[in-house]
Every structure is written in C-alpha cells, then in structure tokens.
Amino acid sequence: MDPVERGRMLLAVADALDNARGELVPLADAETSLGEGRLAGELARASGQFRLFADVLREGSYLRATIDHADPATSPPRPDLRSVLEPVGPVAVFAASNFPFAFGVVGGDTASALAAGCPVVVKAHPGHPELSRRLAEVVHSVLEPGVFALVEGLDAGRALVTHPDIRAVGFTGSVTGGRALFDLASGRPDPIPFHGELGSVNPVVVTRAAAAARPREIADGLVASFTLGVGQFCTKPGIVLIPAGSGLETVIADRLAGGGRMLTPAIAEGFHQGVRRRADRIIAGRQQDGPDAEPVLFLADVDFLAEHPEATEEVFGPACLLVHYTDDDLPRAVAALPGSLTATVHAEPADVAVLAPVVAALRERAGRLVWNGWPTGVAVSWAQHHGGPWPATTSAAHTSVGAHAIARWLRPVCYQDCPPAVLPRALREDNPLGLPRRVDGAWTDLEC
C-alpha cells in the first residue's frame, strides 16, 4: 500500500473505534475500574493517534526521501544515489495494562507501525482480555486480512519475540518483563530492535525560591499528579527533590487523600511490596494489602539517595519519595537519579541563571523537560517525545508517542544507479506522490 492508501486505512480504524465507543468504554471500565469518564477520553486519544499518523503520511517528510544526482565532476565521481525509509516488516506489539486504549491493542505502537507499512501482531494484556478481543474485532472489521492479528498468553508472547518473521518489537510494561523480552530479542540468531518502555521515576526539582513562593500550589499539583489514576501513570513523579528546612514535606503530606482499586491483583501486590521495602521512610500514609491502594509519602536525604540505588527504583502506584537537599548537594542528588521519561523543574525567574548545571544534568537523564508544570498527561503531537535513557526505555533515541514514533518501524534503503522501474515511487524523478524531498542537498516540493 502506498502512503495515501495507508492513510485511508488509518482513518477507517479511527472511525470504527469512535463508532464503537458506546460498547468499548463500559467494557473497559468493567475490566479496569478506571472510570468511564477517563476511558472515554482515552479512547478519543487512541482514535486521534490514528488520525495523526494519517496526517504524517499525507505530509510525507517522515520518509526522508533524498536524491543525489550523479556528478562526474566530484572526486571520486558520484553515482546517482537515492534513499528512502521503508518498513522493517511485521512488528510485535505488547499491550500495556494502565492505558487499555492509548497503549493497548489500538495504541500508539499499533497505529505508528501500521502507518509505517508494517503488519502488526499484538500480544494482549491479561488485565483486560475481553476488551482486547473486542478491539481486535473492530480493527479486523476494516483492515485487509493479514495486516493485523491478536495473540494471548505468556508463552505466545515469548514465541512472538523469537518468531523469525517478526522484525521489531514494541513493549510497554515493567522493567522485569521488558528486560526478559529484550534479552530474547537480542539473543535471536538474527537480533531485532526492541523498543521497550519500562520503568521511570520522573524526578522533580523544587528550588528554594519556588518552595517559598508557591508551597500550596506545588503541593496541590504534586499530589494530584502522583495520585492520578491511582499512581499508575508511566509519567508519575516518583522522586521529588525539595529544599531542606522549607517545610514543604508537611504541606504535601497534609494534602494526601483518597486511593482506589489498582488495575490487577499483581500490580497491587507489587505496589504493597514496594511500600514495605521503604516502610522506615514513610511520613504519610501506611503499609497496605489487598486490591486497593492509598497514597504514601516517603522522606530521605541526599546521602540515602546516593548510597541506596534501590531507592531510585519505580514504585508503580500512588507513592512518592521526597528528598531533602541543600544547595551544595543538589548536584549530587541529581547525579544519583536514573534515566526517566521526564524531568521537572519548579523555579522562580531569578533561579534560571543559576540552574543551568542542574538543567543540563536533568537533560541527560530524561527525554522531556517540564518547567513549572507536571509530567502526567502526554500530548499526542508532532513535537512530543516519550522516551528516555535506561531504564525508562531500551532505545532513548526514539519516542512511543507523537509523529516521530513511526521512525521505529522504518529502515533506510539506498538505490544506486537504478532504472526508474526499480525505484519506489517516492524516489522517481517526477515525484508522483508529491513528497517534500532533499534533492542535491536542497529541500524541494515543500509546498506539498
């Protein structure tokens, strides 16, 4: 299929999802307890991702079509060279638990891989099996046979990663599960790319001036962010560096409230184990058991953070570690932070000049820098980047959200002195697809 045909296919999937909203949202709520309001918004985001990638295909620059005409005057003489990005082949996608639409069967991995021209086989998440099957039926209703399939079960997932026809993998889940599949993909006789989103603590730095000027605002925003969705967001702020002596921990602790049902019993037990491991650091909240979770706040200092690497591991759920720092040891605290999807700074205008080293260090540890805001909520757009250094992802150069997510499923192919009949349409001299292309070093056809 050429990009125009694939764009129509993506729009058909988006329409089919929207038309089935009345059935899909209650089904998702019955299996996840996330609430029909949130799930309706998430389904709209999922269909919106398919529409975004239809726009990506229509715009065309994602192909990086490049032509260097032959030039006998160069030394050595240059042949005619033409390159374009082409689909890698069939892709395996592992659906996530916490976003049954946006990172599930019809999530961004599926949408971007189909946009790239790759058939997709999705491994359903056991946390919402009925929804996964129904979503697969909706997709099947508008796609040609052989373009999309669904499998279920742990053994099927392993078999999928090692199947010789699979050329790349997209995964969203835990560090443990992701690392096991990553090793399988790397250990194949023909290793394949594994694009995994694993664990992230999404650190926050609050300056002394910000803590003094906006304590209640910062506390309200933090609690709302790390408890959103019962703390089951990949961008949940899990480690927050606050100035020692500011009293901000008390303001934050006073705002803890609520809780709710976690997605699965296994996820709930993982949260409870994480809380128990840090029980001596609890300043608000309590140890818990069962399928529900309530917010928990821990407190430590920079020495503890630097000397206990396990303190920087993600606790998936409504838990947050506050770390007291002094101005002198803030750089050491930032240096102890692991790779994350996001890093956030809360600062006042006068702080900007002195924060340059801290910002530089945070930029090395995260894929998105947030200023005076909160990282939960990931806009689906052309500029968005949702990735980061290990253990946030296995491939920090790529994003799983936004237009650039399509790059994961493409590879460059260069054609040298090939006749027109051999060239793909994107590289033919008359540019039948109307693509923006770089020709002899200069962009052309940009009005397309």
Side-chain angles (χ1 to χ4, degrees):
M1 303 174 75
D2 68 26
V4 174
E5 294 174 303
R6 292 203 303 276
R8 294 193 193 103
M9 174 187 74
L10 298 179
L11 292 175
V13 174
D15 290 343
L17 291 172
D18 287 344
N19 291 337
R21 179 185 293 109
E23 173 192 4
L24 294 174
V25 170
L27 181 56
D29 188 40
E31 292 191 303
T32 67
S33 301
L34 289 174
E36 292 197 9
R38 175 200 147 162
L39 288 165
E42 189 190 326
L43 179 57
R45 169 180 166 158
S47 62
Q49 289 181 132
F50 280 87
R51 293 190 174 92
L52 171 66
F53 284 109
D55 290 341
V56 170
L57 296 179
R58 188 180 304 111
E59 189 267 349
S61 65
Y62 78 98
L63 286 170
R64 286 186 3 215
T66 306
I67 298 174
D68 291 330
H69 290 107
D71 187 352
T74 64
S75 181
R78 185 179 72 205
D80 186 274
L81 297 171
R82 301 174 185 232
S83 65
V84 70
L85 296 182
E86 300 189 354
V88 298
V91 166
V93 169
F94 284 73
S97 62
N98 56 338
F99 283 87
F101 293 124
F103 283 85
V105 170
V106 294
D109 285 353
T110 297
S112 58
L114 290 174
C118 299
V120 172
V121 183
V122 177
K123 189 270 182 187
H125 194 279
H128 34 81
E130 293 300 326
L131 174 67
S132 298
R133 295 168 195 145
R134 185 66 189 108
L135 286 170
E137 291 172 356
V138 171
V139 175
H140 275 302
S141 71
V142 295
L143 295 188
E144 296 291 331
V147 175
F148 176 89
L150 182 77
V151 298
E152 298 182 62
L154 193 62
D155 292 339
R158 293 194 188 100
L160 196 56
V161 173
T162 56
H163 195 287
D165 286 344
I166 294 296
R167 307 315 307 159
V169 180
F171 172 89
T172 303
S174 68
V175 174
T176 301
R179 182 57 196 251
L181 294 174
F182 183 27
D183 291 345
L184 280 179
S186 302
R188 289 171 40 141
D190 56 338
I192 58 173
F194 183 92
H195 301 290
E197 181 190 322
L198 310 180
S200 183
V201 296
N202 306 300
V204 178
V205 174
V206 180
T207 67
R208 191 169 297 279
R214 301 180 277 119
R216 294 179 180 83
E217 174 191 326
I218 291 171
D220 287 339
L222 172 60
V223 172
S225 186
F226 90 80
T227 63
L228 183 65
V230 201
Q232 297 168 116
F233 276 48
C234 52
T235 50
K236 179 205 77 175
I239 296 180
V240 181
L241 309 181
I242 62 174
S246 65
L248 190 56
E249 67 274 14
T250 301
V251 184
I252 297 168
D254 287 345
R255 280 155 171 75
L256 292 195
R261 181 65 51 92
M262 300 202 78
L263 289 161
T264 67
I267 290 173
E269 180 55 30
F271 171 74
H272 300 324
Q273 289 178 4
V275 172
R276 286 193 287 269
R277 287 195 299 269
R278 297 161 175 78
D280 60 336
R281 297 283 165 178
I282 294 175
I283 62 167
R286 59 184 179 85
Q287 296 186 62
Q288 305 156 42
D289 289 296
D292 294 346
E294 299 174 3
V296 179
L297 206 60
F298 310 103
L299 181 64
D301 57 20
V302 174
D303 286 340
F304 181 84
L305 187 70
E307 295 167 8
H308 296 80
E310 68 277 7
T312 65
E313 295 175 0
E314 179 186 29
V315 178
F316 192 67
C320 183
L321 172 65
L322 305 179
V323 179
H324 274 159
Y325 73 86
T326 65
D327 293 343
D328 291 338
D329 61 13
L330 179 57
R332 188 163 66 100
V334 173
L337 297 171
S340 288
L341 296 169
T342 73
T344 297
V345 176
H346 277 270
E348 295 298 292
D351 293 322
V352 173
V354 298
L355 278 178
V358 172
V359 171
L362 290 173
R363 193 169 57 234
E364 292 178 358
R365 288 163 174 78
R368 175 162 59 106
L369 184 67
V370 180
W371 198 268
N372 284 346
W374 299 102
T376 38
V378 184
V380 180
S381 72
W382 288 80
Q384 183 62 268
H385 183 80
H386 190 65
W390 178 269
T393 66
T394 57
S395 49
H398 292 287
T399 179
S400 61
V401 178
H404 296 299
I406 196 173
R408 298 171 295 168
W409 322 119
L410 298 165
R411 67 181 185 90
V413 177
C414 183
Y415 297 80
Q416 180 173 326
D417 290 332
C418 291
V422 173
L423 294 173
R425 296 177 71 197
L427 295 179
R428 293 178 186 172
E429 199 67 23
D430 60 348
N431 195 9
L433 298 178
L435 298 172
R437 306 191 298 187
R438 187 181 292 276
V439 179
D440 296 329
W443 282 102
T444 185
D445 300 320
L446 289 180
E447 70 276 3
C448 299

